[in-house]
Amino acid sequence: MSAIRITGGKVLDPANGEVGVVRDVVIQDGRIVAADAAEGVTETIDASGGIVMAGGIDIHSHIAGGKSNIARLLMVEEQRAFREPQGPFCACGGGLSTMTAHATGCRYAEMGFTAAFEPAVVAANARHMHAEMGDIPFLDTGGYLVLGNDDFLLDLIASGSGQQAVNDYVAWMLKATKCMAIKIVNPGGINAFKFNARKMDLDEKNPHYEITPRTILQTLIKAVTQLGLTHPIHLHGCNLGVPGNEQTTIDTIAAAEGMPLHMTHVQFHSYGTEGDRKFSSGAARIAEAVNKNPNISIDVGQIMFGQTVTASADFMSQHRNRGIASPSRWIGMDIEMDAACGIVPFEYKDKSFVNALQWAIGLELFLLVEDPWRIFLTTDHPNGAPFTTYPHLIKLLMDRQFREEQFGRLSKAARKHSNLLEIKREYTLEEIAIITRAAPAKILGLHDRGHLGAGGVGDVVVYRDDPDREAMFAKAAYVVKDGTVIVKNGEIVDLVYGRTHQVAPEHDASMDAKLDRWFDEAMGFKAKTFKLSDSEIRGGQGTVTHATERSA
């Protein structure tokens, strides 16, 4: 048996109520065990003066799938500009917002992250997505299946087939694509684009199916709840990026009617129309609504200044933004009647009034939402910024003086439209551990991750307790993945691979026959070729299937 003992560090484990407790953390055969239960310790890590946390978990990061490859093709100059050095473990290729699969794992691991989840799996591309995620080292991964614009589902709802039929379809699709949660992107809006609609409000009927985004959202919330999935609907709402969409976001929170709902990259959905520019912050209203509704959780989708590439299934928003692409190129497509894909490169500039205010809005949300268990650290990689900007974002949240200095560099017009200077809150290390570890594990149902209790997976990180929090979180002192040391002093020292997380809820057998006919008649290929086999997921090894239980 192999064991690692991490000694002398301050343990920060909010899931188990430990904040700054100095104790040993022992990992034996890939699992955390009680410190006095370990046998045959083979390595001791001296973490004296350091902070010990569970491995980081990114709840929303576009790391794989067709859109990632398309973005790489569109931004080939970035691949050339950001080349990683050759080495025993990191001949990684290039990219920053469009980095390779291998580089993705390396950059996350260096920062102390051991899991990241792809939030937009189009069913027709699921096989590609899993193949690409299988090439990402160090990270546990999993995908959220995009539903809400697929014709089979919309027809089920429009024809009055009933909630049970929808539940069976959702279960069939999750099982077929080996995904772990359901994502909705602009419910009904992507489908409506094909019928010449260019925007969709929450209660506007799809021009073909004559059902509203509200109906689609509520139907899928019920499906996920009744199927027993841990993660609630992961919602990219209507009117992303449109001034005035704060009201749509408020109305969407109300539309959940107390049922669990996760709203993603909410910064892009928090815009008002006040002021002479008709663009203002709605963060205070959104945060107030989140604070009052414990069924709602959000991630922010913080923007950071610099070049990136936006990649989204929301073809409405990408079509609208194509004119401001930088560089001036873009790609858009419909994908097998499932969803769409739009790639628009973009550079966020601190001298831009809109971009500066977007930056401030994201920070306002982080600081005004009171419960750290219901808000998550994201940049909607790569849409708001590459995930490698997380250490800088953490410093902005923890260091008020630094935040105010950065705010002071913005234009006077942008500063006038933000209340950021009035917010005195600074995140604590405990809160950072919650929003990057304990809370993501909880909402995803990863019961043996995100904490340092006995029985937990041996994903453990040691950080130097540096007053400069950006430097602290940029390079971990040690990272242990499943009981193997993979990072020392910020450098990759070993190569291991994580697991794929999925669910496989049961469905009524009649759905098989219905979908067999659908694939024959509408899709032009067999349902059996659409389904992924277990052997296609990391070669049949390293998968975790989470239990679900249907409810009435």
Side-chain angles (χ1 to χ4, degrees):
M1 293 184 292
S2 63
I4 296 173
R5 182 179 294 272
I6 302 171
T7 185
K10 295 180 180 178
V11 171
L12 204 58
D13 183 12
N16 289 308
E18 292 184 303
V19 182
V21 177
V22 178
R23 69 167 176 88
D24 289 359
V25 176
V26 179
I27 306 162
Q28 184 165 298
D29 296 331
R31 292 270 174 179
I32 297 171
V33 298
D36 58 0
E39 300 176 6
V41 171
T42 56
E43 183 173 358
T44 298
I45 295 173
D46 183 2
S48 299
I51 304 294
V52 184
M53 297 186 187
I57 301 169
D58 194 339
I59 194 175
H60 184 109
S61 183
H62 296 279
I63 53 175
K67 62 188 174 305
S68 297
N69 264 355
I70 295 167
R72 293 181 189 115
L73 291 170
L74 198 66
M75 298 290 287
V76 66
E77 65 267 48
E78 186 186 88
Q79 299 291 310
R80 299 189 184 108
F82 293 92
R83 301 294 297 180
E84 293 301 325
Q86 299 293 313
F89 302 107
C90 281
C92 292
L96 186 61
S97 59
T98 60
M99 65 181 67
T100 63
H102 192 94
T104 295
C106 291
R107 301 294 85 77
Y108 265 118
E110 289 162 354
M111 296 191 302
F113 280 77
T114 55
F117 294 89
E118 165 56 56
V121 179
V122 177
N125 281 346
R127 183 169 277 105
H128 175 193
M129 182 275 294
H130 279 293
E132 192 163 351
M133 286 203 301
D135 281 342
I136 299 174
F138 310 120
L139 301 182
D140 280 14
T141 58
Y144 311 157
L145 175 66
V146 174
L147 295 180
N149 286 279
D150 39 318
D151 285 278
F152 190 90
L153 172 69
L154 298 184
D155 184 67
L156 279 179
I157 298 172
S159 64
S161 296
Q163 186 66 49
Q164 186 59 54
V166 171
N167 294 1
D168 288 332
Y169 172 67
V170 171
W172 191 97
M173 289 291 284
L174 282 166
K175 201 169 184 177
T177 58
K178 307 294 186 185
C179 286
M180 64 178 298
I182 296 297
K183 165 81 169 292
I184 310 178
V185 179
N186 189 2
I190 302 168
N191 183 277
F193 190 93
K194 295 187 289 188
F195 301 98
N196 294 318
R198 293 296 179 262
K199 66 182 294 293
M200 282 283 284
D201 291 319
L202 187 64
D203 292 304
E204 185 176 349
K205 290 183 177 180
N206 179 291
H208 181 71
Y209 290 101
E210 297 189 335
I211 53 177
T212 66
R214 181 190 296 268
T215 298
I216 297 166
L217 171 62
Q218 291 179 337
T219 302
L220 285 173
I221 289 177
K222 291 175 184 175
V224 163
T225 302
Q226 292 173 14
L227 287 172
L229 273 64
T230 300
H231 190 47
I233 283 293
H234 198 93
L235 176 68
H236 163 141
C238 305
N239 295 327
L240 177 140
V242 176
N245 64 11
E246 61 172 330
Q247 188 58 52
T248 304
T249 305
I250 297 293
D251 293 342
T252 302
I253 291 173
E257 297 180 350
M259 295 181 288
L261 175 65
H262 180 82
M263 303 180 72
T264 192
H265 45 61
V266 172
Q267 179 277 134
F268 290 106
H269 299 270
S270 300
Y271 304 154
T273 56
E274 297 178 4
D276 54 357
R277 309 283 186 102
K278 303 301 180 185
F279 184 78
S280 59
S281 172
R285 286 189 69 203
I286 303 303
E288 181 182 15
V290 173
N291 291 336
K292 288 181 177 178
N293 290 274
N295 60 305
I296 301 296
S297 60
I298 68 170
D299 62 75
V300 172
Q302 178 69 34
I303 77 132
M304 301 293 236
F305 301 122
Q307 178 69 53
T308 192
V309 58
T310 66
S312 176
D314 192 344
F315 196 79
M316 279 186 169
S317 67
Q318 297 296 71
H319 181 265
R320 184 177 62 247
N321 291 334
R322 69 195 188 283
I324 56 173
S326 178
S328 183
R329 62 183 81 130
W330 76 293
I331 294 174
M333 66 192 71
D334 175 71
I335 303 174
E336 298 290 355
M337 301 166 65
D338 271 336
C341 181
I343 312 294
V344 180
F346 193 76
E347 182 180 0
Y348 293 101
K349 299 178 180 178
D350 58 1
K351 301 305 180 185
S352 160
F353 168 79
V354 170
N355 296 164
L357 194 52
Q358 287 177 302
W359 178 88
I361 289 168
L363 294 175
E364 289 174 12
L365 286 166
F366 271 118
L367 298 166
L368 292 173
V369 171
E370 296 167 354
D371 183 359
W373 290 89
R374 292 193 290 122
I375 189 168
F376 304 88
L377 188 86
T378 67
T379 57
D380 188 22
H381 167 84
N383 291 291
F387 65 79
T388 48
T389 60
Y390 285 174
H392 185 73
L393 175 54
I394 289 171
K395 184 173 182 178
L396 288 168
L397 296 177
M398 295 191 71
D399 187 334
R400 176 185 160 200
Q401 180 178 346
F402 176 71
R403 183 169 69 235
E404 291 178 352
E405 289 171 357
Q406 301 304 302
F407 184 73
R409 297 179 181 181
L410 306 182
S411 70
K412 186 176 181 180
R415 286 184 279 122
K416 185 176 68 173
H417 285 75
S418 171
N419 294 322
L420 194 58
L421 283 182
E422 299 174 14
I423 306 172
K424 310 304 181 186
R425 179 182 176 186
E426 291 179 316
Y427 269 60
T428 64
L429 275 174
E430 179 185 7
E431 288 175 320
I432 295 299
I434 291 171
I435 67 173
T436 61
R437 282 139 168 101
K442 180 180 179 181
I443 200 171
L444 290 171
L446 309 178
H447 304 300
D448 58 359
R449 289 159 175 78
H451 69 86
L452 298 175
V457 166
D459 293 359
V460 184
V461 183
V462 179
Y463 292 107
R464 296 181 181 86
D465 192 2
D466 192 327
D468 182 345
R469 299 310 191 189
E470 183 171 358
M472 172 178 170
F473 285 100
K475 295 284 187 180
Y478 287 89
V479 181
V480 182
K481 173 63 182 168
D482 290 326
T484 298
V485 177
I486 59 171
V487 171
K488 289 184 180 180
N489 298 318
E491 301 295 329
I492 305 294
V493 296
D494 205 347
L495 183 64
V496 300
Y497 286 82
R499 297 173 174 84
T500 297
H501 295 261
Q502 59 182 332
V503 294
E506 295 301 319
H507 63 273
D508 189 277
S510 63
M511 186 53 63
D512 290 295
K514 292 174 183 177
L515 284 163
D516 281 344
R517 288 194 299 272
W518 169 256
F519 277 91
D520 279 344
E521 296 170 4
M523 303 299 287
F525 56 92
K526 299 293 183 181
K528 65 181 180 181
T529 65
F530 178 87
K531 296 179 184 178
L532 277 69
S533 66
D534 289 338
S535 63
E536 293 180 90
I537 311 302
R538 295 187 187 267
Q541 304 297 316
T543 59
V544 179
T545 302
H546 295 271
T548 59
E549 185 175 347
R550 279 181 178 261
S551 63

